[in-house]
Amino acid sequence: MPDTTAPIPARFITFEGGEGVGKSTQVKRLLNNLERHNVRAVRTREPGGTPKAEAVRSFILQGRSESWGAGGEAVLFAAARLDHVNQLIAPNLRKGNWVLSDRFHDSTRAYQGLTGGVDEKLIGALETLALNGHNPDLTIILDMDPEAAFKRVAAREVEEGLAETGDRFEKEELDWHKRLRGGFLAIAEANPDRCVVISADQGEDELEAAIWAIVSARFPELGGRTA
Ligand code: TYD
């Protein structure tokens, strides 16, 4: 009989993907599923996760970093990540808590690197600096055709009264999101041991079950642990 009370090694799981694919809902659902299996876990996000990184987040998301260009933004994201890793991710893993992050270093590679044109060598150097050896054990890439994702976001905005119609996206924007999607798929192809691509074009419950199947297959030590 496996000892279901013995501590199991803490794992670091990241979620990645384009906009409107439903990452944050799935991060919450995985956290609940882990807790149901008696696994202590924390949920965090990027950019952000610590006070310093959240300050960088508001600077960037307010559009104040736009004039820095994609290279400058990559450096800002990496600076926020360095603090996030040192102050939140690494200490939690050391304490035995699993860490689930809504976005991490692959976002810099996909947005600023593969889509934004920042040189691969700079992206690689920033990764080495910011990760400080803390590579994710598993990265779940939620993949969706950007047109479908746009429709989903637009429908939500109409539903919440934030927009009147769902057709505010322009072709250029769509092309950019298609390149972004290609960037994440290329990252998955280059890192087959770490990354799993999963279609986000399915219901939330089905997606939750598919993610749980991936996580429990990847970490068989979860098996046999019930709430
Ligand atoms: P957010 O509102 O959290 O978007 P989402 O719900 O899609 O995660 O905003 C984060 C934005 O920052 C998102 O557009 C992706 C972008 N980003 C980068 O460009 N590079 C990065 O390294 C990270 C972590 C995020």
Side-chain angles (χ1 to χ4, degrees):
M1 282 269 287
D3 178 2
T4 58
T5 56
I8 54 178
R11 304 291 186 178
F12 177 26
I13 302 178
T14 57
F15 281 71
E16 299 279 4
E19 261 128 269
V21 295
K23 277 181 292 88
S24 46
T25 305
Q26 293 303 327
V27 175
K28 281 184 212 144
R29 287 182 177 217
L30 178 58
L31 184 88
N32 291 340
N33 281 323
L34 287 170
E35 283 174 349
R36 267 200 285 279
H37 283 75
N38 290 335
V39 171
R40 288 195 320 264
V42 296
R43 176 165 68 87
T44 184
R45 68 169 179 187
E46 285 214 348
T50 62
K52 284 194 195 102
E54 289 290 334
V56 175
R57 178 188 177 88
S58 18
F59 182 75
I60 294 174
L61 295 190
Q62 283 163 12
R64 292 165 69 196
S65 62
E66 254 165 51
S67 62
W68 292 53
E73 287 191 326
V75 174
L76 287 172
F77 281 115
R81 181 162 306 126
L82 181 65
D83 191 62
H84 189 208
V85 166
N86 288 339
Q87 302 302 323
L88 187 141
I89 296 172
N92 269 289
L93 292 170
R94 272 199 299 273
K95 276 191 272 180
N97 297 332
W98 289 43
V99 177
L100 312 182
S101 188
D102 184 344
R103 295 198 183 281
F104 193 58
H105 70 308
D106 294 318
S107 282
T108 303
R109 190 166 277 273
Y111 281 80
Q112 282 69 48
L114 298 167
T115 317
V118 176
D119 185 72
E120 147 71 26
K121 283 206 193 81
L122 175 63
I123 299 284
L126 290 173
E127 261 173 27
T128 307
L129 173 78
L131 267 59
N132 200 8
H134 294 87
N135 250 299
D137 295 296
L138 170 66
T139 295
I140 294 171
I141 297 180
L142 298 187
D143 176 59
M144 195 159 166
D145 168 27
E147 258 168 280
F150 277 12
K151 284 191 188 131
R152 193 195 264 196
V153 171
R156 200 185 308 144
E157 286 180 353
V158 172
E159 206 177 282
E160 290 169 5
L162 299 171
E164 283 178 13
T165 60
D167 57 2
R168 64 187 178 86
F169 298 106
E170 305 193 350
K171 183 174 173 310
E172 255 170 51
E173 212 176 336
L174 192 59
D175 287 346
W176 188 88
H177 282 271
K178 284 183 179 162
R179 283 200 285 134
L180 179 67
R181 181 194 198 189
F184 278 117
L185 294 178
I187 290 170
E189 215 174 286
N191 300 275
D193 294 342
R194 172 173 65 85
C195 298
V196 178
V197 178
I198 176 162
S199 167
D201 202 0
Q202 49 183 323
E204 285 181 353
D205 293 346
E206 288 77 17
L207 193 49
E208 175 185 349
I211 290 171
W212 182 249
I214 289 165
V215 171
S216 48
R218 178 64 64 110
F219 307 116
E221 63 268 27
L222 286 169
R225 299 174 75 95
T226 46

